[in-house]
Amino acid sequence: MDIDNGKCWQNSKKDSWRTTLLLAYQSLGVVYGDLSTSPLYVYKSTFAEDIHHSETNEEIFGVLSFVFWTLTLVPLFKYVFIVLRADDNGEGGTVALYSSICRHAKVSLLPNRQISDESLSTYKLEQSPDREYNSKVRMLLEKYKFLHTALLILVLLGTCMVIGDGLLTPAISVFSAVSGLELSMSKEHHQYAMIPITCFILVCLFALQHYGTHRVGFFFAPIVLLWLICISALGLYNIIHWNPHVYQALSPYYMLKFFKKTKKQGWMSLGGILLCITGSEAMFADLGHFSYAAIQIAFTFLVYPALILAYMGQAAYLSRNHQNADQIGYYVSVPESLRWPVLAIAILASVVGSQAIISGTFSIINQSQSLGCFPRVKVVHTSDKIHGQIYIPEINWILMILCIAVTIGFQDIKHMGNASGLAVMAVMLVTTCLTSLVIILCWHKPPIIALLFLLFFGSIELLYFSASLVKFREGAWLPILLALFLLTIMFVWHYATIKKYEYDLHNKVSLEWLLALGPTLGICRVPGIGLVFTDLTSGIPANFSRFVTNLPAFHRILVFVCVKFVPVPFVPPAERYLVGRVGPASLRSYRCIVRYGYRDVHQDIDSFESDLVQRLADFIQFDWCRSTCRGNCCNEDHASASERSSGEHRLAVVGNMELSRSLVFEVDETMQQESVSCGFQTVESIGDIVEMSAPKERRVRFAIEDPENPSEVEMRQELEDLIAGQQSGTAFILGHSHVQAKQGSSVFKRLAVNFGYNFLRRNCRGPDVVLKVPPASLLEVGMVYVV
């Protein structure tokens, strides 16, 4: 028996390793395409203007030493061994770091937060001993509201720079790959062929995006693997053939000699050297598609050695061939008989690297949209099987136009490299700052460790960032201008969204007010289900009260739906729906809170509607059973009566878990919901949150034989009303808002709200398009928000 168990354990261990190695192989095409093509342009960008290759070889050896130690310290030590461990339930990236920090400290500016969100299984918090330094840092962050805003701006800045990298990387990767033609063509022909060929490849690349990565993804890993084998073999050949002693240049001593000879010009050339680590952020950003072990194995044992050999081989060739000092580039070190095959592989590898950063740009924009920090755009999920593969049409064509404009405008690797280098280092600096907070708040390490991490890696990145910033007029202005433009758009959108939520919060009405208007206005109920979408988790939204007072009729089944985002990557389907009553059972009015993570795939409207009706039916059965059980206890009867008179009822987490796993979360009736950036607070008017079990079969049951209990009769009648409402049709009631700044507001606020936000709202996708509501079922209620 023990022998059999040992064999099973060995087999499972083998399967685990096989899966890890398979993921490591697949990660080559998605994660390392950009990083692996960096040898195409690093030396060419470094020796473009500031320094020149001389007979002493001090410059080329110094650059090689810088490249080696930069690749070792930043991608290998920082990302592979430290930053990848700061994942958020397996997800990586800037938004994942921000999400982890928001869960461990109350610094989030997301609206409609609830304490019940903390009961989610993915809302895990690291348990730690009560340490004074940890609580002091957390209290400092939570105390000052401007720190919340500063943290959000830092995250948005990193997001903007990732988008900028998504614009610049395809241009420089494809352009540098195509530049190999200059050795096989005359200068006149090459000058007129480079730009059209690059633009043609870019147009084809962006035109194929709507097919999705998964359709051509199986080609990516073999291409990058072939490219890595190619550059490492060529590097090894150049080392052996030209200069076997080039390994001595890996010593840090050559960095000192480099600075001693080149001085200020050497420091300015660091803007080209830093391009050797472009694409390193993809290891962390794409962590959710693979695993920590897979990415670590692929980089440590394949990508890192191949890149080092490639850079050493180029340095070995250049150290013995000074006649090509004016034409430093990757292809000069390739034997002439192999240039055309290498050129073809390089173009394919550059396309793969560009594809990875474009897909990453789509993902981070979708995450920013989930945080309420980006105007609504259409998100198309290109794969039903592979999670996270999306396509955003508007962003795709904008990126294509800007990418072609950069190629035509700059027309050389030097300016593109300066622009790309600044964007890359800005993202890395943001990641370093956020990771230092994660070390304190999430890992519960002493602040001195976080400070050492920040100073060590931050000083390296600041050195490179300063060298890029000096090149402001030579291309570095582009990512800064783009980041300021995007940051303004994102912050204006987020600010106006928060102000709209605060307006709704102040102007919501109680159910008693609505019921009191019934006899006065003569409100009638029409057949069907009315889904009223709102950002509020309690109370009646102002746009619905406005609708009822002007048109005194609403549907027999009324559901107030709040689609909200929780600072977690995923919300399990069994925990997605929070359902409760609004008013007495006879009113047939409910509240449903639908929770999504920032990487969740939204349901299409048909499945959402049927799923919502099923969850309501499950809740109705559960609620009547709960009421029947409570009838035996007078105290609970009294509590239930007071609860029903208050209008708002307990919310149940309707899922498909077993009854044995049901949990009850008692929440004080006076608990307070976290407010947004202002200082006011609101009362959360639910009694408790109950996690219940739903029937495994996805249909409503009415098999109640000869019901003698009056509650069973009422439950059957309520279920029949729900099905009748679904058969009559569902109407989606959404607000059509116009926001304007109140009188006396500052000039900046009036510009931001009256012009900026309203312009974005009119030119972006409406909520009906995002929710995919059919036009025949849409009912929009106009509302003016004075904020």
Side-chain angles (χ1 to χ4, degrees):
M1 194 72 178
D2 293 335
I3 294 175
D4 292 339
N5 288 337
K7 288 181 179 178
C8 292
W9 181 83
Q10 288 178 358
N11 290 334
S12 64
K13 189 175 181 181
K14 287 181 180 178
D15 291 339
S16 176
W17 272 106
R18 286 173 184 170
T19 303
T20 302
L21 291 175
L22 179 62
L23 288 174
Y25 168 73
Q26 293 174 343
S27 70
L28 294 176
V30 177
V31 178
Y32 298 108
D34 186 14
L35 186 61
S36 64
T37 55
S38 59
L40 290 172
Y41 46 81
V42 168
Y43 282 131
K44 190 167 187 176
S45 181
T46 303
F47 288 93
E49 184 178 345
D50 298 310
I51 58 175
H52 301 282
H53 184 33
S54 64
E55 296 285 342
T56 61
N57 290 326
E58 291 182 347
E59 293 86 359
I60 191 65
F61 288 160
V63 170
L64 175 61
S65 183
F66 266 104
V67 167
F68 172 76
W69 287 106
T70 304
L71 277 171
T72 303
L73 292 176
V74 178
L76 186 62
F77 287 172
K78 177 190 167 184
Y79 279 95
V80 171
F81 294 115
I82 300 177
V83 175
L84 287 183
R85 297 180 182 274
D87 66 297
D88 181 19
N89 290 281
E91 295 296 321
T94 307
V95 176
L97 291 172
Y98 181 65
S99 173
S100 297
I101 293 170
C102 289
R103 292 205 304 275
H104 288 81
K106 296 177 181 178
V107 295
S108 174
L109 295 179
L110 280 174
N112 55 40
R113 290 179 61 201
Q114 294 175 286
I115 296 179
S116 58
D117 297 336
E118 299 179 10
S119 63
L120 289 169
S121 59
T122 50
Y123 201 105
K124 64 178 183 180
L125 300 176
E126 298 289 340
Q127 299 297 326
S128 69
D130 203 7
R131 293 174 177 170
E132 184 180 357
Y133 53 76
N134 191 318
S135 60
K136 282 185 177 180
V137 174
R138 186 173 63 253
M139 288 173 60
L140 180 66
L141 285 173
E142 293 175 351
K143 182 178 180 181
Y144 298 103
K145 295 291 182 181
F146 78 90
L147 290 178
H148 303 180
T149 306
L151 184 62
L152 178 65
I153 291 176
L154 182 67
V155 173
L156 294 183
L157 180 63
T159 302
C160 294
M161 287 299 181
V162 171
I163 298 173
D165 196 19
L167 160 67
L168 294 164
T169 294
I172 190 173
S173 296
V174 176
F175 188 88
S176 58
V178 176
S179 65
L181 294 172
E182 65 184 350
L183 299 178
S184 305
M185 301 173 64
S186 63
K187 187 174 182 180
E188 292 77 13
H189 291 114
H190 174 261
Q191 183 179 357
Y192 294 105
M194 271 280 285
I195 303 301
I197 292 174
T198 302
C199 292
F200 174 76
I201 294 174
L202 290 173
V203 169
C204 293
L205 174 64
F206 283 98
L208 294 174
Q209 291 300 311
H210 69 280
Y211 289 108
T213 306
H214 68 287
R215 298 189 186 275
V216 290
F218 64 92
F219 286 120
F220 285 6
I223 290 172
V224 176
L225 180 61
L226 181 60
W227 171 248
L228 289 172
I229 294 173
C230 175
I231 62 174
S232 57
L234 288 173
L236 197 59
Y237 166 78
N238 285 326
I239 293 171
I240 296 172
H241 186 265
W242 294 108
N243 190 352
H245 300 287
V246 73
Y247 68 89
Q248 297 176 355
L250 302 182
S251 170
Y253 170 72
Y254 285 87
M255 290 192 290
L256 297 177
K257 290 183 66 176
F258 173 80
F259 272 135
K260 185 177 180 180
K261 181 176 181 180
T262 58
K263 298 182 173 59
K264 182 182 177 181
Q265 298 302 315
W267 165 65
M268 294 175 66
S269 69
L270 294 179
I273 296 174
L274 67 86
L275 294 176
C276 69
I277 54 175
T278 180
S280 300
E281 186 71 22
M283 287 192 288
F284 186 46
D286 294 325
L287 180 60
H289 297 289
F290 304 100
S291 66
Y292 170 74
I295 292 179
Q296 187 180 42
I297 289 171
F299 182 80
T300 307
F301 296 105
L302 183 58
V303 179
Y304 177 74
L307 290 175
I308 297 300
L309 285 174
Y311 286 114
M312 289 178 64
Q314 289 185 71
Y317 175 85
L318 293 172
S319 66
R320 294 290 187 266
N321 294 271
H322 300 89
Q323 69 275 13
N324 296 324
D326 296 331
Q327 291 185 339
I328 290 181
Y330 180 75
Y331 292 102
V332 297
S333 63
V334 178
E336 190 172 354
S337 59
L338 297 175
R339 280 178 186 167
W340 283 105
V342 171
L343 175 66
I345 299 172
I347 292 175
L348 290 175
S350 67
V351 170
V352 171
S354 303
Q355 171 63 52
I357 194 65
I358 293 169
S359 300
T361 303
F362 291 157
S363 296
I364 201 163
I365 287 176
N366 187 40
Q367 294 172 17
S368 301
Q369 187 178 230
S370 301
L371 294 176
C373 297
F374 201 87
R376 290 182 293 266
V377 291
K378 183 180 180 181
V379 178
V380 179
H381 296 276
T382 58
S383 175
D384 296 330
K385 297 180 180 179
I386 305 175
H387 181 84
Q389 291 193 358
I390 61 174
Y391 166 69
I392 303 177
E394 301 99 315
I395 302 301
N396 182 66
W397 301 121
I398 291 173
L399 281 178
M400 185 192 75
I401 294 170
L402 293 177
C403 205
I404 292 174
V406 167
T407 304
I408 297 174
F410 285 156
Q411 297 191 8
D412 67 350
I413 290 180
K414 183 186 75 171
H415 287 82
M416 293 182 191
N418 293 337
S420 180
L422 190 137
V424 167
M425 293 317 303
V427 175
M428 289 186 175
L429 277 170
V430 170
T431 300
T432 301
C433 294
L434 294 177
T435 305
S436 63
L437 287 176
V438 168
I439 291 173
I440 300 174
L441 299 174
C442 306
W443 295 354
H444 310 288
K445 301 298 181 182
I448 186 64
I449 295 179
L451 184 61
L452 289 174
F453 173 83
L454 181 64
L455 290 177
F456 182 75
F457 291 107
S459 60
I460 296 173
E461 292 159 0
L462 276 176
L463 177 66
Y464 283 117
F465 184 78
S466 62
S468 295
L469 203 58
V470 173
K471 305 291 184 66
F472 180 84
R473 298 178 61 183
E474 299 172 12
W477 58 268
L478 180 60
I480 295 176
L481 182 64
L482 184 65
L484 289 176
F485 178 72
L486 289 173
L487 188 62
T488 302
I489 290 176
M490 296 170 78
F491 195 76
V492 165
W493 185 268
H494 180 76
Y495 176 79
T497 303
I498 292 296
K499 289 300 178 183
K500 280 179 59 182
Y501 175 74
E502 292 174 359
Y503 182 92
D504 279 336
L505 210 55
H506 280 301
N507 292 276
K508 67 179 181 179
V509 297
S510 64
L511 182 67
E512 289 76 11
W513 177 87
L514 184 62
L515 293 175
L517 288 179
T520 307
L521 297 176
I523 294 177
C524 64
R525 307 293 290 270
V526 296
I529 299 177
L531 302 182
V532 183
F533 285 83
T534 175
D535 290 331
L536 299 176
T537 56
S538 64
I540 308 298
N543 60 353
F544 182 74
S545 62
R546 179 186 179 89
F547 168 73
V548 171
T549 52
N550 286 278
L551 184 64
F554 54 87
H555 298 80
R556 286 178 183 169
I557 305 296
L558 188 65
V559 186
F560 294 96
V561 181
C562 173
V563 179
K564 59 176 288 186
F565 294 93
V566 187
V568 295
F570 307 103
V571 174
E575 304 173 42
R576 190 176 306 285
Y577 289 86
L578 271 171
V579 186
R581 293 189 187 276
V582 178
S586 59
L587 189 62
R588 303 294 192 261
S589 181
Y590 310 92
R591 184 177 306 283
C592 180
I593 300 174
V594 188
R595 301 178 291 186
Y596 287 100
Y598 56 81
R599 285 191 64 103
D600 269 325
V601 177
H602 287 219
Q603 295 170 282
D604 61 83
I605 204 66
D606 293 329
S607 64
F608 173 75
E609 180 185 344
S610 59
D611 202 22
L612 180 61
V613 171
Q614 178 63 48
R615 301 300 171 123
L616 287 173
D618 296 341
F619 168 76
I620 290 169
Q621 296 178 72
F622 170 77
D623 189 59
W624 279 107
C625 292
R626 182 177 61 178
S627 300
T628 302
C629 294
R630 282 181 170 175
N632 299 325
C633 179
C634 60
N635 291 335
E636 292 193 0
D637 243 356
H638 176 72
S640 180
S642 63
E643 185 183 275
R644 292 179 185 273
S645 65
S646 68
E648 292 283 348
H649 291 250
R650 294 185 174 106
L651 297 178
V653 179
V654 185
N656 54 3
M657 291 180 290
E658 299 296 333
L659 279 169
S660 60
R661 295 183 62 191
S662 296
L663 301 173
V664 176
F665 300 94
E666 295 294 338
V667 182
D668 188 3
E669 289 185 356
T670 60
M671 78 176 184
Q672 292 183 330
Q673 177 176 312
E674 284 295 321
S675 173
V676 286
S677 56
C678 286
F680 62 86
Q681 293 175 321
T682 61
V683 178
E684 176 73 12
S685 53
I686 60 173
D688 59 4
I689 297 104
V690 184
E691 185 172 359
M692 58 164 285
S693 172
K696 291 185 178 180
E697 297 172 341
R698 302 287 297 170
R699 58 192 178 92
V700 183
R701 293 172 175 259
F702 297 101
I704 303 175
E705 298 179 358
D706 300 325
E708 298 179 357
N709 192 332
S711 64
E712 292 181 353
V713 177
E714 293 180 22
M715 180 183 71
R716 183 173 67 174
Q717 183 61 48
E718 188 173 358
L719 290 172
E720 290 175 349
D721 289 345
L722 178 64
I723 297 302
Q726 186 183 26
Q727 292 173 349
S728 299
T730 302
F732 297 82
I733 305 171
L734 281 74
H736 186 82
S737 59
H738 178 78
V739 185
Q740 65 182 41
K742 63 178 67 173
Q743 291 185 352
S745 300
S746 64
V747 176
F748 291 107
K749 183 177 180 179
R750 291 201 301 271
L751 287 173
V753 174
N754 296 349
F755 296 99
Y757 177 77
N758 285 315
F759 174 80
L760 293 172
R761 181 186 57 80
R762 287 193 299 268
N763 290 278
C764 71
R765 302 276 182 168
D768 56 318
V769 178
V770 176
L771 295 170
K772 301 177 183 177
V773 177
S777 304
L778 177 63
L779 179 61
E780 290 187 304
V781 181
M783 187 75 182
V784 177
Y785 289 82
V786 182
V787 298

